[in-house]
Amino acid sequence: MSEMSIQALALLLALAAGMLLGVIFFGGLWWTVRSGMTARQPALWFIGSMILRTGIVTMGLYFLLSLSGNSWKILLGGLFGFILARLLATRVLPAPLSKVSPTAEPSVGISNLYQRGEKEQGTQETQGAQGAQGMRGGQRAEIAERVGHAP
């Protein structure tokens, strides 16, 4: 084999290794989100998964960098494969929470609260401290009513 074909083969293998690392990383992230949202201790799932996935990818890229020859080109090929796996994962895998029911309650959009606060700012400034506290309580009741909960 010629020198050129050996380098091309090394770059293709680095691309494949990067894609494998990407599949492990983003597949693990997808699985963690699906499993972690229903777990009893989701923080342990997410932190543990992040450490494990990052460690695997770091070791894999370090291995590519330690290969003899033009290691920066091989590393670049691995990184390209990793990014390519990310692009494929976002298009192939379904949304991680598509089958999991949401546990959080819906809330009022922050922009609605800002708009309401700007309208009533002048009214609150003219009222005394007791009136302003009553206004905040009224806002809480209105927000609870908007999301479907009684105060």
Side-chain angles (χ1 to χ4, degrees):
M1 280 192 175
S2 70
E3 182 72 24
M4 185 70 121
S5 62
I6 291 174
Q7 287 180 354
L9 181 62
L11 285 175
L12 284 175
L13 289 175
L15 181 74
M19 287 186 71
L20 178 65
L21 290 172
V23 165
I24 291 169
F25 186 87
F26 295 109
L29 176 62
W30 178 80
W31 181 76
T32 300
V33 171
R34 287 187 65 93
S35 302
M37 293 305 292
T38 58
R40 286 187 344 178
Q41 296 178 333
L44 289 176
W45 276 94
F46 284 97
I47 291 171
S49 171
M50 180 190 65
I51 291 170
L52 182 66
R53 288 180 292 115
T54 304
I56 291 171
V57 170
T58 302
M59 288 183 348
L61 292 176
Y62 183 76
F63 174 75
L64 288 177
L65 189 60
S66 69
L67 294 176
S68 63
N70 293 327
S71 59
W72 69 269
K73 290 179 183 177
I74 293 173
L75 178 65
L76 194 61
L79 288 173
F80 183 71
F82 185 83
I83 292 169
L84 190 62
R86 183 217 177 260
L87 293 173
L88 291 173
T90 56
R91 284 161 179 69
V92 172
L93 294 175
L97 298 177
S98 60
K99 304 257 180 183
V100 178
S101 63
T103 56
E105 298 175 2
S107 63
V108 176
I110 193 86
S111 61
N112 292 339
L113 293 176
Y114 282 131
Q115 290 172 356
R116 178 149 175 84
E118 290 172 359
K119 289 178 186 176
E120 294 179 351
Q121 186 175 8
T123 321
Q124 287 183 0
E125 290 174 358
T126 58
Q127 295 175 348
Q130 186 177 15
Q133 288 175 351
M135 182 63 73
R136 282 188 223 119
Q139 286 176 337
R140 274 189 239 119
E142 182 178 334
I143 291 170
E145 185 178 79
R146 283 185 188 178
V147 296
H149 299 285

